[in-house]
Amino acid sequence: MQQPLDPQEIPPGCPAHGNVQMYGPSFGADPEGHYEQLRAFGPSAPVDIAPDVQTELVTSYDAALYVLQNPASFVRDSRRWNALNEGRVPADSPALPMMGYRPNALFSDGAAHARLRQAVTDSLATVNEHQLIRQTQQSANYLISQFSSEPRGQAELMAEYAQPLPLLVFSDLFGCPPEIGDRVIAGISGIFEGTPGADEVLGGALTELIALKRRRPAADLTTRLMQHSAQLSDEEVLHQLVTLLSGGTAPLTAAIGTSSALYLGEDWQIGLPVEDAVSQTLWNYAPIANYAAHYPTHDVELGGRVVRANDPILISFAAANTDPKLTQHREQLSAKAHLAFGAGPHACPAKDPAFMIAVTAVETLLNRLPDVEMRVPFKTLTWAPSPWSRSLVTLPIRFTPRLLPQAAESATSRVGQASQQQPSASPQAGPSRTAGASPQPKGGLFSRFIAWTRGE
């Protein structure tokens, strides 16, 4: 058993004085300080992950691996959650959307988990690597074209690039028609932002997409899930798609933003590849910071602390990756030894595609805007005060305004057509447009993207 600490050695805010709060501005401003406090109590400690929601948080790399790789003792089905079943979790708790049970691979165990996960991994395995890179580049080029020619020569990279890019890629992978893609993006974005009714918007859009693929199968991820030998029901397909969206888009947004900031930061060593920036992000700024609730099937001991059966244990991927005990071994460890994608039977099934998307997104930005730079130092950037993710709030950049090749060709073509037509000036004519500009197509983000790819 671990020896008790001298009360005078206990930092303020530690569990000895009440659980450490893992949410709000204080946590967002200094998560590493919170993890350092928690490490004083061994491999895990009790925290409040949300108001009135207590969990055990694992901060040790070794203990995290032990929990993640021991599915016989630690299961994922949150219907076992003691406090929830006893009515001690507020009905409007922000922890419920993250920890509440859903019929997908993430919250399943045993044979049920194996069946759902196999359908997901097999379907993802059919995604062509080169096609995925092209899809990512095309999405990136579209988004860059929307702000790169602005005279101001400035942009906010999180909102204008890192956040919408994964949404475009996933809508494309799912085989969404433009209008359904718009609603899928609106729904999942609304869920992240807490917009009322967003669940229904997303569910309705995916239900319509699945019905469409029943009628007209295609070479996309939705169809492959539906045609898998596991014979998923339409409801099961829907929940796996939701898992891919929620588990893929937000972490990718964080990874793209942080990797871009690291690469453009003043401390980055010139000449290192983009892959190094993404790897450093996964090690030191794990996009999914604290998650993966496990429920012990029996009372367990973690470093001298006993956790009761069916009380939730969360994994701090962020703290485990930066465990001081790893410091002396980091150079010997594989670049992929981090836990940003989890480990064990529930490890992220899309870690390779996710890494590829993040690298391609950053490389495309650098290629298209070779003089891009941050407008503020890296150390002054603000992080979202969420316990679940490690994501920048904003990433202000500046660059020399320019037209992308596709936009330039389109503008030249339009100018040529206009000169051939030689319209006479008329006082009744509408307001003039900037040279090279074209009307914005109607519809949401995905509709506008598809119209752009078609040159409309």
Side-chain angles (χ1 to χ4, degrees), residues 300-389:
V300 297
E301 183 179 319
L302 292 174
R305 290 185 48 77
V306 175
V307 182
R308 193 166 58 119
N310 298 324
D311 278 353
I313 296 175
L314 288 181
I315 306 298
S316 179
F317 300 107
N321 280 349
T322 56
D323 186 340
K325 293 181 180 179
L326 287 182
T327 303
Q328 57 184 329
H329 305 295
R330 277 280 291 269
E331 291 185 1
Q332 284 74 45
L333 290 172
S334 162
K336 297 182 179 180
H338 59 77
L339 299 182
F341 292 122
H346 283 274
C348 175
K351 56 185 178 181
D352 291 335
F355 189 86
M356 191 183 308
I357 291 171
V359 169
T360 303
V362 179
E363 287 181 339
T364 305
L365 176 72
L366 298 171
N367 289 335
R368 297 304 184 215
L369 302 175
D371 64 348
V372 64
E373 59 183 13
M374 288 196 294
R375 304 204 314 262
V376 298
F378 180 87
K379 62 183 179 182
T380 66
L381 294 171
T382 303
W383 301 86
S386 166
W388 314 105
S389 63

Side-chain angles (χ1 to χ4, degrees), residues 235-316:
E235 181 182 9
E236 288 175 325
V237 171
L238 185 150
H239 283 290
Q240 308 325 302
L241 291 176
V242 171
T243 303
L244 287 169
L245 274 173
S246 58
T249 55
L252 269 172
T253 291
I256 293 168
T258 306
S259 300
S260 299
L262 281 173
Y263 197 92
L264 298 174
E266 60 275 11
D267 294 331
W268 187 253
Q269 184 177 335
I270 296 176
L272 290 178
V274 168
E275 286 87 344
D276 284 12
V278 177
S279 292
Q280 190 174 132
T281 293
L282 297 174
W283 270 108
N284 297 330
Y285 306 91
I288 301 177
N290 305 288
Y291 195 52
H294 290 72
Y295 301 85
T297 57
H298 53 83
D299 292 357
V300 297
E301 183 179 319
L302 292 174
R305 290 185 48 77
V306 175
V307 182
R308 193 166 58 119
N310 298 324
D311 278 353
I313 296 175
L314 288 181
I315 306 298
S316 179

